[in-house]
Amino acid sequence: MDSPKTVEMAATPSRRVLGLLLPVFPRRSGRFAPSAPQSRPGGPRTVWGALASPRYLISSWPWRSYAYLLTSVPVGALAIGVLVGLAGLSALLSPILVGILMISSFPLIGGAIGWLERRRAGLMLVDGISSPHAKLPTALGLREKLKFRRREQASMRGLGYGFVLGVLIWPLSALFAGVSVTTLVITLGAPIIADGDEMGMGPWTLNSAREGFVFLILFGPVFYAVSSYLLGVIAGAEASLAKAMLGPRQDELQRNLAELRRSRLDLVDAFETERVRIERHLHDGVQQRLVGLTMTLGLAELDLPEGEGRRLVVKAHAEAEAALADLRAAVRGIHPRVLVDHGLEAAVREVADRMPLPVSLHFTIPGRLPGPIEAAAYFVVSEALANVAKHAQASTCEVSGWVDRERLVISVQDDGVGGAKLGAGTGLTGLVTRLDALGGTLDVDSPPGGPTRLRMECPCRLGD
């Protein structure tokens, strides 16, 4: 359906979500092609991948490991201090019931610890740790939000991780990272320290700056390599434990996926609402003014005598009528009334009647479908037929629609030159992302020489 230089539509999920933010009005000048997916930054995504790389020692990962372990010390000490302090205060105040209320707030502290640790884990996990907490409606008050957070399992897991961090993790981090940092600093300063006084370094005694410099050259790189790998393993294990305890469980992932789908459907609904608003403004405002202008010019044309003035009025009348025709076509493309009033088949038939080549229609769709699904299918067919007319060099085209196992299937096939690919243009980018938000797909099969077939599939009902 397109020229051989047209597109590839294998957009990644992240690009499809972002595509919802793009205009979704169909572009008549486009081709079958959303933008090509952008490549992700290279390099290991976790410390385990970095440890397997020969470039580990000259990368930023050793310093990430040092930073992660060293920051565990104040965070862990503060966490256990707060938890033990509040527990003791709650025990003292329990006779007057205030202590019991304080104990019930412990999960909120766990939620705060989890929030902090998920961000700190970004040092070891480039992609970070996804939040397991549910998204709260903005209509809830502060008290309701705190009550909801207190009852979440993720908050309790954060509380448990706070105890593990305060009792076990930060002492080990302080021991290994502290000894390593102290040894590295002393080794780097050995030439200066040994220059002024005798300096003992294990079985060696350094008596001069020269001996300190030799010790630095011989011992420094070896210790840096050994300690970097050791601390990388410890930091990686700590980050993995944080991800296991603070990351989302399967049910939480499913809930987050449902929230993502709902938010994308909300975007589709918002675009559809805006489309309707624009159509009403053009139809009830601008179009009526143009109609009035053409009528006024027509009356002026009848009253004026032959001459230059009448010729200009006739020309202006023709231009106004052409502008009115263009506006009506634009309104029909933005929000076709026939689609709303009579359904998908009637709207597609209207588009086919305006095509410069024969288009055969075969629709076996029982009844009406939800508005967003019909709108997405209509604009896919409209854009496909526009590309057939402009690029395919076809003599005939066939549009079919049917329902297969609760999924709407639309197929557009032509006998053109073929060679269409997905990925080099922008004609259907917004429509692809709309279909993805509805749980649908769009594929193009176009071998060189033709024929070209576009196939759209979409559930017949909106997901929860």
Side-chain angles (χ1 to χ4, degrees), residues 65-246:
S65 303
Y66 276 99
Y68 187 66
L69 293 177
L70 289 176
T71 54
S72 296
V73 178
V75 174
L78 178 62
I80 195 63
V82 170
L83 293 175
V84 171
L86 285 180
L89 186 60
S90 300
L92 290 176
L93 298 178
S94 59
I96 58 174
L97 299 180
V98 177
I100 297 177
L101 295 177
M102 292 180 65
I103 292 176
S104 65
S105 67
F106 268 51
L108 296 177
I109 300 174
I113 293 174
W115 178 86
L116 176 61
E117 287 300 293
R118 280 191 294 273
R119 278 146 186 79
R120 201 169 63 87
L123 289 169
M124 293 290 98
L125 308 170
V126 174
D127 296 326
I129 301 176
S130 301
S131 174
H133 295 285
K135 184 179 180 181
L136 297 179
T138 55
L140 290 181
L142 178 61
R143 183 177 179 181
E144 287 77 13
K145 290 180 179 180
L146 293 177
K147 186 176 180 180
F148 185 88
R149 287 285 184 249
R150 182 169 57 84
R151 294 179 176 179
E152 282 189 305
Q153 293 183 0
S155 298
M156 293 301 298
R157 295 201 303 272
L159 183 62
Y161 183 79
F163 277 105
V164 175
L165 177 65
V167 174
L168 178 63
I169 293 179
W170 84 261
L172 292 177
S173 299
L175 174 62
F176 287 100
V179 170
S180 297
V181 170
T182 302
T183 305
L184 279 177
V185 170
I186 293 176
T187 301
L188 290 173
I192 299 176
I193 299 174
D195 187 37
D197 196 4
E198 185 178 275
M199 177 183 178
M201 290 295 292
W204 301 283
T205 300
L206 309 180
N207 297 305
S208 65
R210 180 180 179 182
E211 292 180 357
F213 185 76
V214 172
F215 178 82
L216 170 62
I217 295 299
L218 296 179
F219 179 75
V222 175
F223 181 79
Y224 171 73
V226 173
S227 63
S228 295
Y229 276 100
L230 176 62
L231 295 186
V233 171
I234 296 174
E238 182 179 327
S240 297
L241 176 62
K243 184 175 183 179
M245 295 186 66
L246 302 176

Side-chain angles (χ1 to χ4, degrees), residues 350-423:
E350 184 183 75
V351 175
D353 290 341
R354 300 196 301 267
M355 287 286 291
L357 70 157
V359 178
S360 58
L361 302 180
H362 305 281
F363 274 79
T364 56
I365 300 176
R368 296 294 300 270
L369 299 173
I373 295 175
E374 285 192 339
Y378 168 80
F379 287 119
V380 166
V381 173
S382 179
E383 183 69 22
L385 292 180
N387 279 281
V388 170
K390 292 182 179 181
H391 306 293
Q393 304 177 27
S395 58
T396 60
C397 182
E398 179 180 346
V399 180
S400 304
W402 67 95
V403 174
D404 181 18
R405 289 173 294 184
E406 298 299 320
R407 292 181 68 85
L408 171 65
V409 182
I410 299 292
S411 174
V412 182
Q413 182 169 330
D414 66 73
D415 60 353
V417 297
K421 296 181 180 179
L422 304 177

Side-chain angles (χ1 to χ4, degrees), residues 282 287 290 318-334:
L282 294 177
Q287 183 172 269
L290 280 176
E319 292 290 340
E321 288 183 338
L324 181 60
D326 290 342
L327 179 62
R328 285 171 175 165
V331 170
R332 187 165 50 244
I334 290 174

Side-chain angles (χ1 to χ4, degrees), residues 25 271-289 327-328 330-337 340-341:
F25 300 147
F271 283 129
E272 196 63 29
T273 301
E274 183 66 13
R275 187 195 301 275
V276 173
R277 187 192 67 79
I278 294 174
E279 182 269 339
R280 286 177 179 172
H281 174 71
L282 294 177
H283 183 274
D284 299 336
V286 180
Q287 183 172 269
Q288 298 305 318
R289 288 182 177 274
L327 179 62
R328 285 171 175 165
V331 170
R332 187 165 50 244
I334 290 174
H335 188 72
R337 294 305 307 174
V340 177
D341 298 336

Side-chain angles (χ1 to χ4, degrees), residues 294-312:
T294 56
M295 293 178 63
T296 302
L297 290 173
L299 293 174
E301 179 183 342
L302 295 176
D303 293 339
L304 288 175
E306 293 291 339
E308 183 65 18
R310 189 173 189 278
R311 187 186 67 80
L312 292 176

